[in-house]
Amino acid sequence: MADQTYLDDGVPISGSFHDNINNEADSTSMLGRTEPAFPPLRNDDIADSPSTDAQPPPIAGIDDNDDNEPAIAKPFARANSPASACRGPANDDKTHERLVYKMHKFSLYETASRYYIVGGDVTERRYRILKIDRTSEDSDLSITDDKIVYSQREMNQLLDTIDDGNKGTGGIKLRCTTWGLLGFIKFTGPYYMLLITKKSTVAMIGGHYVYQIDGTELVPLTPARFKTDVRNTEESRFLAILNNLDLTRSFYYSYSYDITRTLQHNMAREREALAKGLSCTPHDDFNAMFVWNSHLLQPVVQALNDPFDWCRPIIHGYIDQAGK
């Protein structure tokens, strides 16, 4: 009697079904087909070990964005002796050309008659200085950018010279640190300077960080011993309106990405720059329709040739990114 084939549950398989399986197997072998050789399944440490062909992590380079930065900027490190503050020459060919004029952190110093904004790049090796007159109450904004790039040692020497020249009126003092200028505004009296004092990272677009403003400060361009005229009710009313505006909600900016234009426009602009052999394009053609502080920027745009070296255009809206 022929052997009977059973399924796992004990039910016998009919002879015709058994023969069909054998016939299909024979026809498959006749056509030269072979079963694919699957690798054996493993559940040990060897299977979990990483491949030796894995690519090493990319080497970090110089960038003007840092997600690990503190919310409040650190002030320019002044040394007691200018010689001890030297950290390298002002001209370094290895540093990207745009970092020469691209400033990231700022320190606001004051004397009795002037404000000085010291701006530094991300390498903390190149510095520039902006001089703002605080004695011209009713005249136009007096602001000067000498366009000179200083090393840390040279900047210390310059600040020491300013300090020595103002010893009789109290010298030079650090007022605050800032991440950038938002512009200048004038009501019925002196000009006021609006600064970004605190920020946080909210998104990244193509490697460019986008920041939210978390703190601001309004600094009047008045002499050190200036007293506000309490009888000027119009000035007080306008100041109260501005102070009631919360700039720490839904206001954004970026140091290296133009958030006032669409992604398509920015990509097309970069492509045109690459076609012309340019490594980067200047981001000074912002779309004024979406620049919230466009009016605040007008005085500095008229006074400086390169206002966006110091000022940051901001937009108002909502930005969020999953998995940031």
Side-chain angles (χ1 to χ4, degrees):
M1 182 176 179
D3 294 337
Q4 186 74 24
T5 304
Y6 294 87
L7 295 175
D8 292 340
D9 56 359
V11 179
I13 301 177
S14 63
S16 60
F17 182 76
H18 187 272
D19 294 339
N20 290 337
I21 294 178
N22 293 334
N23 293 335
E24 290 178 1
D26 294 340
S27 61
T28 302
S29 60
M30 292 176 62
L31 293 175
R33 298 178 182 176
T34 59
E35 292 292 332
F38 292 102
L41 297 178
R42 306 193 59 163
N43 189 19
D44 51 20
D45 295 336
I46 299 178
D48 297 333
S49 61
S51 173
T52 57
D53 297 334
Q55 296 295 328
I59 300 175
I62 296 177
D63 192 8
D64 58 354
N65 298 296
D66 187 1
D67 196 21
N68 297 322
E69 285 181 333
I72 301 176
K74 295 182 179 180
F76 171 74
R78 293 190 63 192
N80 294 330
S81 174
S84 64
C86 181
R87 296 186 57 184
N91 296 322
D92 185 2
D93 295 336
K94 296 181 180 180
T95 306
H96 201 285
E97 182 181 358
R98 69 185 176 88
L99 294 180
V100 175
Y101 296 105
K102 186 73 172 180
M103 289 172 293
H104 190 69
K105 303 175 184 178
F106 306 86
S107 298
L108 178 64
Y109 291 91
E110 64 176 343
T111 63
S113 59
R114 290 185 178 89
Y115 284 113
Y116 296 91
I117 299 180
V118 176
D121 68 353
V122 292
T123 66
E124 297 185 0
R125 299 177 62 182
R126 302 172 187 268
Y127 298 90
R128 289 169 57 192
I129 191 168
L130 187 71
K131 182 176 67 175
I132 305 172
D133 190 5
R134 59 186 297 188
T135 59
S136 54
E137 178 179 349
D138 296 327
S139 61
D140 294 335
L141 181 66
S142 178
I143 183 170
T144 305
D145 179 10
D146 60 9
K147 303 293 291 186
I148 298 177
V149 179
Y150 300 91
S151 66
Q152 189 180 39
R153 177 175 179 270
E154 293 168 341
M155 182 56 68
N156 270 285
Q157 291 176 337
L158 178 59
L159 293 178
D160 288 342
T161 302
I162 297 174
D163 189 29
D164 292 338
N166 291 271
K167 285 294 186 182
T169 56
I172 188 171
K173 300 177 182 178
L174 177 66
R175 172 68 180 264
C176 66
T177 58
T178 172
W179 294 108
L181 272 166
L182 291 179
F184 298 84
I185 190 170
K186 179 182 176 69
F187 301 116
T188 63
Y191 269 101
Y192 295 87
M193 176 171 52
L194 190 58
L195 306 172
I196 303 173
T197 57
K198 192 176 181 181
K199 67 175 177 63
S200 60
T201 306
V202 293
M204 178 189 289
I205 304 176
H208 303 274
Y209 284 104
V210 178
Y211 301 97
Q212 175 179 282
I213 297 176
D214 292 335
T216 60
E217 182 174 349
L218 190 65
V219 179
L221 302 186
T222 55
R225 298 181 179 180
F226 177 82
K227 294 183 179 180
T228 305
D229 187 2
V230 295
R231 297 172 298 178
N232 191 347
T233 57
E234 287 295 308
E235 184 78 7
S236 301
R237 184 171 67 89
F238 291 139
L239 279 176
I241 295 174
L242 181 60
N243 289 328
N244 287 333
L245 179 62
D246 189 2
L247 293 177
T248 64
R249 293 181 179 273
S250 304
F251 286 92
Y252 306 92
Y253 73 96
S254 176
Y255 291 102
S256 56
Y257 185 77
D258 186 0
I259 59 176
T260 67
R261 297 189 180 274
T262 63
L263 176 64
Q264 293 86 344
H265 180 276
N266 291 336
M267 292 180 63
R269 180 173 57 183
E270 293 295 333
R271 182 174 297 178
E272 292 176 0
L274 292 176
K276 297 178 181 179
L278 303 176
S279 58
C280 61
T281 57
H283 299 287
D284 55 359
D285 58 340
F286 301 99
N287 189 348
M289 180 183 297
F290 299 104
V291 178
W292 182 89
N293 56 334
S294 178
H295 178 72
L296 300 178
L297 294 173
Q298 289 306 311
V300 69
V301 167
Q302 298 173 3
L304 299 179
N305 293 328
D306 299 299
F308 298 110
D309 289 351
W310 303 90
C311 300
R312 299 263 53 88
I314 62 175
I315 65 169
H316 181 254
Y318 178 76
I319 297 178
D320 194 10
Q321 190 173 49
K324 178 179 69 66

